[in-house]
Amino acid sequence: LSMAGRGRGRGRGQMTFNMEAVGIGKGDALPPPTLQPSPLFPALERRAAPLPGGEEGEYMLALKQELRRAMRGLPYFVKPGAPRRDIERYSDKYQLSSPTDNAIDWNPDWRRLPRELKIQVRRLRKGRTAPLVPKQNMALDKEETIKKLESLEKKEEEVTSEEEEEKEEEEEGKEEEEEEYDEEEHEEETDYVLSYFDNGESFGPDSDDNGDEAVY
Amino acid sequence: MTQAELRLCSLLLQEHFGEIVEKVGNSLLRTGPRPLRLLVGDTGLLPDQVKKALCVLIQHNLVRYEVQPRGSVEYEARSERILRILRYPRYIYTAKTLYGDPGELLVEELLLHGHLPMSCAVSRVADRLTETMEDGKTMDYTEVSSTFVRLADTHFIQRCPIVPESPWNTKAPPPPAPALAIAEKDMYIVPRLSLVGKGKRRHSCDEEEEREHKAKKQKQEGGNSETPPDDGIYWQVNLERFHQHFRDQALVSAVASRMDQTSSEVVRTMLRMSEVTTASGASHTQPLSSNEIFRSLPAGYNIGKQVLDQYLALLADDPLEFVGKSGDSGGGTYSVKVTWGPGASWAPPSPFPHPSLMPLFLHRFGSRCARIFRLLLRKKHLEQKQVEDFAMIPAKEAKDMLYRMLSENLVSLQEIPKTPDHAPSRTFYLYTVNVMAAARMLLHRCYKSVANLMERRQHEMRENKRLLEKSQRVEAILASMQATGAEAAQLHEVEEMITGPERQQLENLKRNVNKIDASENQVDETIFVLESFIESTMKRP
């Protein structure tokens, strides 16, 4: 144990390089220790040269900004799927929803790509990822009932609407583009889920009692 | 890859392709080539999102794939290619100067989409050009096609590697990924297409949707007459060729500033003649006889044959060695030196032109430091005392400057011991410039600068997001009001929705963003010079 501290006293104060060569003479006062963190931006000694202006520079600047704008609009700009909203809003009916994660909006040449990368091309049905049950949230039962009535109505009328983010995702995807009409979009599934929601309702508070009050 | 490069790649991907693609690209850049499932695990994204991102990246040549012996496919990011996104405006502008508007738009479309078949590119560009023409006029496909062919002939665009023909033996399962390949000689051959048609204007939205519907229906039916005649043949921009062009431009510029306009024209002519015969990476162009050069001079240049010979002799004798004489046949054969050795790029007194690297010093360290630096370049090794004497700078200042440059790795110390025991008092300490290290250090700083500029620009936009959105809404309202023929007073009222200070703020924002964008372009020019220099120096035996 005593050997560990052996070298401490002897070598103290010496450094590996020659101090004089660096410019600190013997006995010189060293600068006082700094007590502040170094400044965020070092002092600017000289300003940078002005940017070359001119037609070429202007044109390239415009090109750059135009490119940036254009690329955001192309299908290569991958946007995440729209987050699931907690409450349906009336405006949802009138807003175009963003593409689902599993859709690819352009048609690559699949012959040139590894097979494992192939995903379905814009089949909106595939948007259904998680089952509906866990998504059930504490909405007002009154709203729920009205929504259900609405959706049943819609089904009867077979009106194609724009994308809505309702709990019944079957309505989702009934778009104007008939080519996207998938065989899976069947009524049976709607029925199944509806009946399931019927079950859930019985757990919630009785709607008669809480007619005008909010449910917490 | 340095941290600076990684950060810059990240920002470029995020700005042009969104965060999902950025995450995937990042994972590949930081951890190296991996298969799909590891990527999904690493990024935490949904598998379909990762697949989509990979498709985008492969489409744009930013990621390549390789089938591993055990059958899995590995993906690898191409960092140097990602950094080229910064240079897109320069490629497009160059195409414009060389081939006019059709050339500009063709290159732009190819860059925006990664790669396209010729038929597709031509029709898109024709449509875009038609939009800008007067009512009733349309752009014919033939003009765009001929520009396309010229771009291919001069190698500015090239064919992408193609899917190999599938063998007749279909018993074997298809490979997990195609092995794309193309021979050099096939790269610039334009397929014989008869592209007939004119650009279409975009009419009202309904009509366009109708057309889209029709096109979609046809696509789904499949195998109909809509399959383009050049199916499977894709084209991409040949970035190396553009780089060669930039180097040529810089060379011509250097000659012009060192000698005169005419000599630069001679060099330009020589370079033009050797455009497609110079292999990439060659140090000299093919030798050209002075007779050939004389015949190829541009029409406006009326210099006599002897005058041309004199110019060539002058160029060959110049210590900067722009041009070398390689023989005497045909009136003397000459070739242009195209690599950028230390002499050409850093030589005093005329620093390498646009972008000149000397100003980097002048503005960072001061003109005296620049003097010391140039001195060291010339003399290679100097002692402290010699530096003070030759540069005529007092000892204290010289010492300070040298140490600063030393700390920035722009100069280095070389020890030459006089005695075997390397005693400090009996050793020469010589200052020298390690050109490659200095170049790399500067390049690293450039990457950092651009990344910082981008972050600042994005910050500015985020800070003013609310105001920007408001301004866009007001503009939209104004536009629709004007379309329906509103009165000036009503328009004025709407304009007033943006207050005076807000207008000022918007102007400031625009000015700042423009300045930052222009700076990014400027730094990329320096990046190009440094990268070319480093690359060509490393190639030399």
Side-chain angles (χ1 to χ4, degrees), chain B residues 450-466:
Chain B
V450 181
N452 286 346
L453 284 166
M454 287 178 79
E455 292 224 28
R456 181 69 202 193
R457 177 166 47 76
Q458 289 178 354
H459 171 82
E460 294 278 323
M461 295 294 274
R462 272 196 301 270
E463 288 286 294
N464 292 283
K465 187 169 154 182
R466 191 198 65 84

Side-chain angles (χ1 to χ4, degrees), chain A residues 56-93:
Chain A
E56 185 176 328
E58 299 277 329
Y59 198 85
M60 292 228 287
L61 171 63
L63 269 175
K64 184 179 212 277
Q65 295 180 332
E66 180 52 40
L67 259 168
R68 201 160 52 224
R69 196 197 53 80
M71 288 194 90
R72 292 193 93 92
L74 286 174
Y76 311 115
F77 196 97
V78 179
K79 302 183 188 99
R84 216 156 289 284
R85 301 243 257 278
D86 46 2
I87 311 172
E88 298 97 22
R89 293 168 206 278
Y90 183 73
S91 59
D92 287 353
K93 211 162 70 163

Side-chain angles (χ1 to χ4, degrees), chain B residues 179-424:
Chain B
L180 303 175
I182 186 164
E184 172 106 26
K185 60 178 171 59
D186 295 331
M187 267 197 214
Y188 306 102
I189 302 177
V190 182
R192 270 185 208 288
L193 300 172
S194 60
L195 288 173
V196 179
K198 294 193 198 301
K200 292 186 236 331
R201 254 176 225 286
R202 257 214 323 227
H203 301 288
S204 62
C205 285
D206 304 308
E207 279 199 48
E208 203 187 77
E209 269 192 33
E210 246 183 65
R211 260 192 291 148
E212 274 185 20
H213 279 277
K214 268 198 224 123
K216 275 207 177 119
K217 273 211 165 72
Q218 284 167 335
K219 258 190 235 174
Q220 292 210 323
E221 281 158 29
N224 51 20
S225 59
E226 284 296 321
T227 327
D230 57 349
D231 186 41
I233 303 179
Y234 294 92
W235 293 80
Q236 63 189 1
V237 178
N238 181 4
L239 300 187
E240 263 314 302
R241 177 65 183 92
F242 276 95
H243 295 167
Q244 187 191 333
H245 180 83
F246 299 153
R247 282 194 283 270
D248 292 350
Q249 270 183 324
L251 260 169
V252 168
S253 207
V255 174
S257 67
R258 184 157 171 84
M259 300 175 75
D260 71 347
Q261 180 72 8
T262 314
S263 19
S264 76
E265 277 308 315
V266 171
V267 175
R268 194 203 298 275
T269 307
M270 291 172 76
L271 286 169
R272 205 168 14 92
M273 291 162 71
S274 327
E275 254 171 10
V276 292
T277 55
T278 314
S280 61
S283 64
H284 284 79
T285 61
Q286 299 290 346
L288 304 162
S289 77
S290 98
N291 294 332
E292 287 176 304
I293 300 172
F294 184 62
R295 279 195 293 271
S296 313
L297 281 174
Y301 267 83
N302 292 325
I303 57 172
K305 179 73 170 47
Q306 294 106 311
V307 178
L308 171 68
D309 285 335
Q310 284 177 333
Y311 269 111
L312 285 169
L314 267 173
L315 283 164
D317 283 338
D318 191 288
L320 283 181
E321 295 174 29
F322 291 115
V323 166
K325 185 161 182 187
S326 46
D328 282 312
S329 62
T333 52
Y334 300 86
S335 56
V336 184
K337 177 154 170 250
V338 286
T339 48
W340 291 6
S345 63
W346 307 71
S350 92
F352 205 87
H354 180 259
S356 179
L357 289 160
M358 283 309 147
L360 272 180
F361 282 105
L362 289 169
H363 293 97
R364 199 90 207 173
F365 295 97
S367 56
R368 287 186 174 179
C369 264
R371 201 193 305 169
I372 295 179
F373 191 82
R374 276 206 292 266
L375 183 64
L376 281 171
L377 273 175
R378 244 229 189 109
K379 300 277 189 182
K380 306 280 192 273
H381 297 275
L382 287 175
E383 276 187 307
Q384 166 103 25
K385 189 85 180 44
Q386 289 172 303
V387 171
E388 294 164 22
D389 290 341
F390 280 122
M392 296 178 288
I393 295 176
K396 200 161 144 199
E397 276 184 51
K399 209 188 284 192
D400 180 51
M401 286 175 196
L402 279 167
Y403 291 157
R404 283 180 60 202
M405 289 203 279
L406 191 64
S407 69
E408 303 266 4
N409 271 325
L410 287 165
V411 304
S412 50
L413 269 177
Q414 174 118 32
E415 287 180 15
I416 307 209
K418 288 191 240 189
T419 55
D421 65 352
H422 291 248

Side-chain angles (χ1 to χ4, degrees), chain B residues 118-133:
Chain B
M118 176 176 174
S119 46
C120 185
V122 167
S123 81
R124 291 186 109 98
V125 170
D127 287 349
R128 281 179 72 174
L129 285 169
T130 306
E131 284 289 319
T132 62
M133 294 167 89

Side-chain angles (χ1 to χ4, degrees), chain A residues 131-204:
Chain A
L132 295 169
V133 176
K135 297 276 183 224
Q136 186 179 5
N137 45 28
M138 313 288 251
L140 293 168
D141 292 320
K142 212 161 55 167
E143 265 194 31
E144 206 178 330
T145 330
I146 294 174
K147 275 274 168 205
K148 243 181 299 183
L149 285 170
E150 274 181 12
S151 63
L152 283 168
E153 233 181 82
K154 275 198 206 107
K155 251 184 26 194
E156 283 176 27
E157 297 172 8
E158 293 211 308
V159 170
T160 55
S161 65
E162 290 171 5
E163 287 210 6
E164 307 176 50
E165 284 182 297
E166 292 188 69
K167 272 178 276 198
E168 292 93 26
E169 288 192 67
E170 289 66 49
E171 305 309 324
E172 193 181 304
K174 244 196 211 160
E175 287 204 351
E176 312 85 74
E177 298 174 73
E178 307 164 69
E179 293 89 315
E180 258 69 78
Y181 204 85
D182 205 341
E183 303 89 283
E184 295 167 32
E185 195 182 329
H186 281 324
E187 323 253 278
E188 299 94 74
E189 305 205 31
T190 316
D191 281 337
Y192 170 81
V193 181
L194 268 182
S195 63
Y196 197 63
F197 269 113
D198 277 334
N199 288 342
E201 204 186 343
S202 62
F203 290 141

Side-chain angles (χ1 to χ4, degrees), chain B residues 16 22 38-39 68 78 85 104 148 214 261 276 309 318-319 335 342 396 465 477 504 537:
Chain B
H16 293 91
E22 181 209 351
L38 282 182
L39 263 178
Q68 295 302 304
R78 300 174 61 197
I85 297 178
E104 176 194 358
F148 193 98
K214 268 198 224 123
Q261 180 72 8
V276 292
D309 285 335
D318 191 288
S335 56
K396 200 161 144 199
K465 187 169 154 182
I477 296 173
Q504 186 63 45
T537 313

